Amino acid sequence: MRKVISIFTVFLIALALAGCRRTDVRTFTLTLPDLKEADKVTIRGALSKYGGIDKDSYVWDLEKKTLTLKYDSMQIAKTNIRMAIEEKGVAVDWNK
């Protein structure tokens, strides 16, 4: 009986540890059709108030009109990132 309780306890601990997801860092590339050099400051400002975005991960491509960044999907959604940028007047392509 003691062995069954021990095995059951170990199983419960393993199950609890496996289910504790605290972060889910993902990479996201936004297409910004009218992206200009000056928009970088605007976008950084728009996203600065949100947690879950790795501000040091920004990769700008002015030629392709994209911004790639890392974010924690447990703290913020892609939609919120897009909306924050659009609220500052920078167009976002929602289809890509």
Side-chain angles (χ1 to χ4, degrees):
M1 182 68 170
R2 204 177 250 175
K3 187 175 182 179
V4 171
I5 292 172
S6 294
I7 292 171
F8 185 69
T9 302
V10 169
F11 175 75
L12 285 178
I13 291 170
L15 187 62
L17 292 174
C20 274
R21 188 178 209 180
R22 293 195 169 109
T23 62
D24 184 23
V25 177
R26 298 177 181 202
T27 301
F28 179 34
T29 300
L30 297 105
T31 300
L32 309 162
D34 302 320
L35 182 65
K36 302 177 288 301
E37 184 70 34
D39 293 331
K40 291 180 180 183
V41 173
T42 303
I43 292 168
R44 283 187 184 278
L47 299 178
S48 66
K49 63 183 177 180
Y50 295 97
I53 300 173
D54 181 355
K55 278 54 168 193
D56 296 325
S57 70
Y58 296 170
V59 177
W60 305 92
D61 189 332
L62 293 173
E63 217 173 273
K64 293 181 181 176
K65 308 287 186 185
T66 61
L67 165 60
T68 301
L69 55 84
K70 291 183 181 178
Y71 73 102
D72 183 349
S73 70
M74 302 293 282
Q75 294 184 39
I76 190 165
K78 289 180 182 180
T79 300
N80 298 108
I81 295 170
R82 288 179 171 126
M83 288 174 62
I85 294 170
E86 279 197 335
E87 284 176 1
K88 295 297 181 179
V90 179
V92 176
D93 185 345
W94 286 73
N95 297 316
K96 294 185 179 184

